[in-house]
Amino acid sequence: MIEGDRIIKINIEEEMKSAYIDYSMSVIVSRALPDVRDGLKPVHRRVLYGMNDLGLSSGKPYKKSARIVGEVLGKYHPHGDSSVYFAMVRMAQVWSMRYPLVDGQGNFGSVDGDSPAAMRYTEARLNKLSEETLLDIDKDTVDFQLNFDDSLKEPTVLPTRVPLLLVNGASGIAVGMATNMAPHNLSDVVDAIITYIDNNDVSIDELVTIVKAPDFPTGGIIYGYQGVKEAYATGRGRVVIRAKTDVETDKNGREKIVITEIPYLVNKAELIMKIADLVNEKKIEGISNVNDESDRDGMRIVVDLKRDAIANVVLNHLYKYTALQSSFGVNNIALVKGRPQLLNLKELISCFVEHRHDVVTRRTRFELDQAEKRAHILEGLIIASDNIDEVIRIIRAAQTPDEARENLIKRFELSDIQARAIVEMRLRQLTGLEQGKLREEYEALLKEIARLKDVLEHVHLRMEIIKNELFEIKTKYKDGRRTEIVYASEEFNPEDFYANDEMIITISHLGYIKRTPLSEFKTQNRGGVGAKGSSTRDEDFIEHIYPASMHNTLMFFTKKGRCFWLKVYEIPEGAKNSKGRAIQNLLNIDPDDAVKAVMRVKRLADDVEFTNSHYIVMGTKKGVIKKSLLADYSRPRQNGVNAITIKDDDELIQARLTNGRNEILMATRSGRAIRFNESTVRCIGRTGQGVKGITLESDNDEVVGMVCVKNMTEDILVVSEKGYGKRSKIEDYRVTNRGGKGVKTMKITDKTGDLISIKSVTDDNDLMIINKSGITLRVAVADLRTTGRATQGVRLINLDKKQDAIASVTKVLAERLEEELLVPDATDVDVPDVNDSEEENA
């Protein structure tokens, strides 16, 4: 054979795809995710089954962990020994598992994060609860599969009587998905399962009243209930856990915070170190010392306070900056019939009941088969005992056991199994007492066979068996809840840590933002009039100036139709002469996205009446307009939300806050504008596309701006790309129906160029005009006289080059007002708002 013929050419891209898919599926199915039926990953299942193989029941002596690990590695789990050992160790840790499955002896680590001793030093055996997970495994209750070298068989799932997935939870990171399931109290879970069995149509809300909330092995307090309800209803949620604390007073009258329980999965030693670091860095004031006084009787972390410190204030800061308050992100993903699936509480219970029903059915079939086999043999033995003299004569006359069996089969019409049992029968069974026992056993078996057949015929009997076994488990292993629930508490409110001081928010044209205390603008500096405030680049300028308090909210809308939120206290503070931070660095905006509209709302989450009576109106480049209730945007998310569904060739150009009774103006490049009442735009949900606001004259036409008419004293200013502008009264634009072509707002000619901007203006405004060549010019609106709607307008600026054109037009405060605001000797400032898209004007 030629050497080259042995090389098979394949496409590396296809090979990488298939190899990665195989790898990811292996991780998902065979490593990281638990089976919904027994709640175990393969490694945990193999450890328990391997320990069962070794006979390590709860009543037997402990065996070295190394012996167990070797058994599991050699027979079932051909991976690293540490993966098996640490899986076994975790099943023995009382702070990791709500109901440990392994009884360990020796150093199995600590809640401080100490590593367990080496496997050659520790010992282990199964505990009583884990024996319940393996019960009936020898009764054909579950399927078996060949191990890695096809030399042995291992169970694909355990026939557990304990709902392990719910009581112990699970966590794991697969490829492209992860699971994080909370532990629960066994009594609560059993009661919920029994309720489901009695009524399969029970609602999740009813089940929640039984299960109540997760029950963590380290105790603590579940703070707030909304995340718990979401987790049970959808399979995903955020459960906030707080440490359990008390405030004690020593003999000197000083207070100290005593922590007796910490949140689940928090490392105690790291927690104490974090508190000490924060004290040293002076991020938390009022703490004089931190001691760990934990012992075998329980946990006790003592935080000594300074004499003038207030315990509740210090405690709030500890919750804010340390793991004394942490969250458990519930993500109920488990393998259902070999496929990963997100499950709510009812589905988890349903899958366990289905598994138990399958186990009980298979066990009953197995027991029926065994009973029928035994009854068949007993029938033969009874026949033999009734004809004992003849049986003995036939056996004595036979030359071999096989001949004896054949003769017995012919004489008494027996089966081969019955004849074999008679030949192998002991002499003691010929006594009268033994013959009576045979008949009693046979009659009892007949009753058992009838019962088992009845169970197989009736589902309700099988369900009754499942309920009785669950009740037995509850009776044996129940305990009280460890984690308290505080139902009335809301989630941690960061506003508690910021005084509601007045601020000035400035946003530049290029997207730089900062907040400056209003007190800075009212401070009389020594001598002189000072200089203007914000230091921006040559081509940049202040576009928006907002007075706002620290608890206000700014809403940002991007051209892709996304909405983001920033609390004022989240905006970096800067001096009057600083540039600020780029908005892109504060929000999770895509690199190819950009902020198109900003609005300030004072009361977003806490004023239901306001959010349910105000609207956000959005306009797009292709003439679409959309109106949504402000309440739809009252739940901020870190990654933003879709404010409007934007088509590929479209983008958002403006968003305004309205009261539902305002009027809207939209203008197009072709020089037409439409005015209509916003009441003609029906209110739709947050992810809707909107409706037609104006009909474009051609495919190349587009909307250049949208104005929300809130003040009839304002004028409408339109600007064309070749430097012409025209100021007209709002009354010149008659109100028409939405969706029309509108009326002429400016006479478009080759001389004027296309329309590029429409603004509502007063004499208190200036226009910042940016040319495509990069030149920025400032024009006072007060210098423009009001003219008719259909005129060509007047030249605002002279363009030096023929190829040059206006790139954008922005409305800002008049220069005189801006000077008054931004110079440091302005002793009393009343800040006007250049962007009327905010709450007071709505």
Side-chain angles (χ1 to χ4, degrees):
M1 181 181 289
I2 302 171
E3 186 68 27
D5 292 345
R6 296 180 183 176
I7 299 172
I8 302 171
K9 292 185 178 180
I10 59 171
N11 186 315
I12 191 169
E13 184 179 346
E14 294 300 322
E15 180 65 17
M16 289 292 287
K17 280 182 183 177
S18 63
Y20 191 74
I21 289 170
D22 291 344
Y23 162 72
S24 60
M25 286 307 299
S26 175
V27 172
I28 290 167
V29 176
S30 303
R31 188 192 304 175
L33 299 186
D35 193 297
V36 74
R37 297 168 293 176
D38 63 2
L40 297 171
K41 300 178 188 178
V43 65
H44 300 109
R45 190 178 301 118
R46 287 164 176 168
V47 168
L48 294 178
Y49 186 65
M51 293 176 76
N52 188 58
D53 271 356
L54 287 171
L56 293 178
S57 60
S58 57
K60 298 288 178 66
Y62 295 92
K63 268 195 171 66
K64 285 287 184 186
S65 298
R67 173 78 175 83
I68 299 166
V69 171
E71 176 84 1
V72 176
L73 280 183
K75 289 185 175 180
Y76 309 115
H77 198 74
H79 299 279
D81 56 2
S82 61
S83 66
V84 176
Y85 182 51
F86 287 130
M88 187 189 79
V89 163
R90 189 174 184 277
M91 288 194 286
Q93 292 175 336
V94 294
W95 60 91
S96 294
M97 302 285 278
R98 181 62 179 84
Y99 296 91
L101 301 174
V102 172
D103 180 8
Q105 182 169 267
N107 176 12
F108 275 77
S110 75
V111 73
D112 285 326
D114 299 321
S115 300
M119 67 180 81
R120 61 182 178 274
Y121 299 119
T122 59
E123 298 176 337
R125 64 184 178 188
L126 294 171
N127 65 15
K128 288 186 178 179
L129 185 70
S130 59
E131 289 175 2
E132 303 285 355
T133 68
L134 292 153
L135 212 60
D136 302 326
I137 198 166
D138 55 349
K139 292 186 177 181
D140 191 35
T141 49
V142 293
D143 292 333
F144 279 71
Q145 64 187 9
L146 291 169
N147 70 341
F148 60 90
D149 63 358
D150 293 354
S151 61
L152 295 167
K153 286 194 171 182
E154 61 173 319
T156 58
V157 68
L158 297 187
T160 177
R161 292 186 177 189
V162 186
L164 287 177
L165 194 57
L166 277 163
V167 300
N168 271 339
S171 65
I173 300 172
V175 178
M177 65 185 69
T179 186
N180 203 34
M181 307 181 72
H184 293 83
N185 184 270
L186 178 62
S187 300
D188 293 348
V189 171
V190 168
D191 290 342
I193 294 172
I194 290 173
T195 301
Y196 172 79
I197 292 172
D198 291 337
N199 175 21
N200 289 168
D201 295 326
V202 63
S203 68
I204 293 177
D205 289 339
E206 292 175 83
L207 291 172
V208 169
T209 62
I210 302 169
V211 178
K212 300 181 187 72
D215 190 22
F216 299 102
T218 52
I221 299 169
I222 290 175
Y223 196 73
Y225 202 64
Q226 187 59 39
V228 175
K229 289 169 69 176
E230 286 179 5
Y232 288 150
T234 66
R236 280 201 176 97
R238 179 173 167 270
V239 180
V240 178
I241 319 163
R242 279 187 169 184
K244 189 175 286 186
T245 60
D246 293 306
V247 178
E248 298 178 1
T249 307
D250 63 14
K251 58 184 179 182
N252 297 321
R254 290 192 180 184
E255 290 185 325
K256 53 186 176 183
I257 298 169
V258 179
I259 302 160
T260 53
E261 294 175 7
I262 59 175
Y264 185 45
L265 301 178
V266 169
N267 183 307
K268 176 162 67 74
E270 289 181 2
L271 171 66
I272 294 170
M273 193 178 298
K274 177 68 174 176
I275 295 173
D277 289 343
L278 289 169
V279 173
N280 292 333
E281 294 167 7
K282 301 193 182 303
K283 288 187 177 178
I284 296 182
E285 302 287 344
I287 295 175
S288 61
N289 194 28
V290 184
N291 282 325
D292 185 3
E293 299 178 2
S294 306
D295 56 21
R296 66 181 61 191
D297 296 326
M299 185 180 295
R300 182 178 167 87
I301 304 168
V302 180
V303 180
D304 295 321
L305 303 182
K306 294 178 181 177
R307 190 174 296 279
D308 58 344
I310 301 170
N312 282 341
V313 173
V314 174
L315 197 53
N316 274 337
H317 280 90
L318 288 173
Y319 287 144
K320 168 74 174 176
Y321 294 112
T322 74
L324 275 190
Q325 174 172 307
S326 58
S327 60
F328 185 92
V330 176
N331 189 21
N332 293 338
I333 292 181
L335 295 174
V336 181
K337 297 179 181 175
R339 292 175 175 269
Q341 188 173 325
L342 182 68
L343 302 157
N344 60 33
L345 177 62
K346 186 175 179 180
E347 289 166 340
L348 286 168
I349 291 172
S350 170
C351 289
F352 175 75
V353 171
E354 186 181 333
H355 175 55
R356 282 303 299 162
H357 179 260
D358 185 47
V359 167
V360 169
T361 303
R362 292 178 64 159
R363 184 183 67 196
T364 306
R365 285 202 194 102
F366 177 84
E367 291 174 346
L368 176 62
D369 183 53
Q370 296 298 312
E372 287 177 336
K373 287 179 180 177
R374 178 62 181 163
H376 183 63
I377 290 172
L378 288 176
E379 285 173 0
L381 294 178
I382 290 170
I383 290 170
S385 66
D386 289 343
N387 302 276
I388 192 63
D389 294 335
E390 188 175 357
V391 167
I392 292 172
R393 182 182 59 76
I394 292 171
I395 292 174
R396 290 181 64 183
Q399 296 295 316
T400 63
D402 290 341
E403 185 183 337
R405 285 202 308 272
E406 289 172 6
N407 292 337
L408 286 170
I409 291 170
K410 289 177 184 176
R411 170 66 184 84
F412 297 107
E413 297 181 351
L414 302 171
S415 68
D416 183 65
I417 293 172
Q418 288 172 325
R420 193 181 296 273
I422 292 169
V423 170
E424 295 173 355
M425 186 170 59
R426 296 178 179 180
L427 289 174
R428 73 176 186 184
Q429 289 180 269
L430 300 178
T431 63
L433 182 62
E434 288 294 327
Q435 290 182 32
K437 284 183 179 179
L438 284 177
R439 295 181 187 278
E440 287 175 10
E441 183 185 354
Y442 181 65
E443 288 172 5
L445 269 176
L446 290 179
K447 290 180 181 177
E448 180 65 8
I449 288 168
R451 186 190 72 81
L452 293 171
K453 286 183 175 177
D454 199 26
V455 169
L456 287 173
E457 287 176 6
H458 299 96
V459 176
H460 72 91
L461 291 177
R462 299 196 288 277
M463 290 299 176
E464 201 62 36
I465 291 170
I466 295 170
K467 284 166 59 178
N468 291 337
E469 289 175 352
L470 282 168
F471 188 75
E472 183 184 340
I473 292 291
K474 176 185 172 182
T475 306
K476 282 184 183 178
Y477 305 104
K478 69 177 180 180
D479 60 358
R481 279 191 66 88
R482 297 183 189 175
T483 305
E484 292 181 17
I485 308 166
V486 178
Y487 291 97
S489 297
E490 297 300 324
E491 290 191 359
F492 185 72
N493 186 4
E495 289 184 4
D496 296 342
F497 295 90
Y498 297 97
N500 200 17
D501 296 334
E502 291 299 319
M503 295 283 161
I504 297 295
I505 308 299
T506 55
I507 305 174
S508 76
H509 180 71
L510 293 181
Y512 289 88
I513 187 171
K514 68 177 180 183
R515 64 177 164 89
T516 307
L518 183 61
S519 57
E520 265 201 47
F521 293 98
K522 295 181 179 179
T523 302
Q524 186 78 27
N525 284 0
R526 51 188 175 85
V529 295
K532 284 186 62 175
S534 191
S535 171
T536 55
R537 294 191 287 180
D538 293 340
E539 66 271 23
D540 201 3
F541 55 87
I542 295 172
E543 185 170 330
H544 303 286
I545 299 175
Y546 297 100
S549 67
M550 286 285 276
H551 295 178
N552 286 172
T553 302
L554 292 184
M555 300 176 71
F556 299 84
F557 294 84
T558 72
K559 67 179 183 181
K560 286 188 174 182
R562 301 280 293 170
C563 175
F564 296 85
W565 298 260
L566 269 184
K567 283 285 191 181
V568 169
Y569 56 76
E570 294 175 323
I571 298 170
E573 185 172 328
K576 293 191 302 294
N577 59 354
S578 65
K579 184 173 68 172
R581 282 273 296 279
I583 293 175
Q584 294 274 14
N585 295 336
L586 301 178
L587 305 175
N588 292 330
I589 301 176
D590 293 340
D592 58 342
D593 206 356
V595 173
K596 284 291 185 178
V598 184
M599 63 177 67
R600 180 198 59 183
V601 182
K602 282 187 178 178
R603 307 178 296 275
L604 186 61
D606 58 350
D607 193 334
V608 177
E609 184 179 345
F610 181 83
T611 57
N612 283 323
S613 62
H614 285 74
Y615 304 88
I616 295 175
V617 173
M618 289 162 276
T620 77
K621 191 168 67 173
K622 291 296 182 181
V624 173
I625 189 163
K626 177 188 172 185
K627 182 170 78 171
S628 294
L629 205 59
L630 179 60
D632 293 344
Y633 303 83
S634 62
R635 298 189 63 186
R637 296 182 193 169
Q638 188 174 0
N639 292 323
V641 296
N642 278 333
I644 178 173
T645 300
I646 298 286
K647 294 182 179 178
D648 292 340
D649 59 342
D650 202 358
E651 64 180 51
L652 183 73
I653 59 167
Q654 187 56 276
R656 311 302 285 269
L657 185 66
T658 73
N659 58 14
R661 302 180 299 277
N662 298 136
E663 291 178 347
I664 307 296
L665 262 81
M666 300 179 81
T668 66
R669 286 184 66 86
S670 58
R672 302 192 72 83
I674 190 169
R675 177 185 174 193
F676 55 88
N677 199 295
E678 72 165 287
S679 60
T680 61
V681 183
R682 64 185 178 88
C683 184
I684 60 175
R686 187 167 49 76
T687 57
Q689 286 189 359
V691 294
K692 183 177 286 189
I694 186 170
T695 299
L696 303 178
E697 287 195 338
S698 65
D699 292 340
N700 296 326
D701 201 6
E702 63 183 42
V703 175
V704 295
M706 182 185 83
V707 172
C708 183
V709 181
K710 297 176 180 179
N711 188 346
M712 296 302 290
T713 61
E714 293 183 326
D715 294 333
I716 298 298
L717 179 74
V718 290
V719 180
S720 72
E721 63 182 353
K722 291 190 177 179
Y724 283 82
K726 179 178 63 65
R727 180 178 177 184
S728 307
K729 294 289 185 185
I730 289 178
E731 292 83 356
D732 289 351
Y733 298 84
R734 70 176 187 274
V735 177
T736 62
N737 290 327
R738 170 186 60 79
K741 287 189 176 182
V743 296
K744 187 178 289 186
T745 183
M746 186 177 191
K747 186 177 180 182
I748 298 298
T749 64
D750 292 340
K751 182 179 176 183
T752 62
D754 291 337
L755 200 68
I756 62 158
S757 178
I758 181 171
K759 303 287 179 186
S760 59
V761 295
T762 67
D763 286 345
D764 287 336
N765 294 134
D766 283 357
L767 295 182
M768 296 296 290
I769 301 174
I770 303 175
N771 295 350
K772 289 181 179 178
S773 57
I775 298 170
T776 302
L777 297 138
R778 188 167 194 144
V779 176
V781 173
D783 295 341
L784 301 177
R785 63 184 178 86
T786 305
T787 60
R789 170 176 56 78
T791 59
Q792 179 177 276
V794 296
R795 185 180 289 276
L796 298 179
I797 61 169
N798 290 312
L799 300 174
D800 293 338
K801 303 175 184 176
K802 289 185 178 180
Q803 297 87 354
D804 201 4
I806 294 176
S808 68
V809 178
T810 303
K811 176 181 73 173
V812 298
L813 277 177
E815 193 165 12
R816 57 184 173 78
L817 293 174
E818 195 173 314
E819 293 264 358
E820 287 175 15
L821 172 67
L822 295 176
V823 291
D825 64 343
T827 55
D828 192 13
V829 180
D830 181 20
V831 183
D833 189 358
V834 297
N835 189 340
D836 60 355
S837 170
E838 52 91 17
E839 179 181 321
E840 286 89 344
N841 294 328

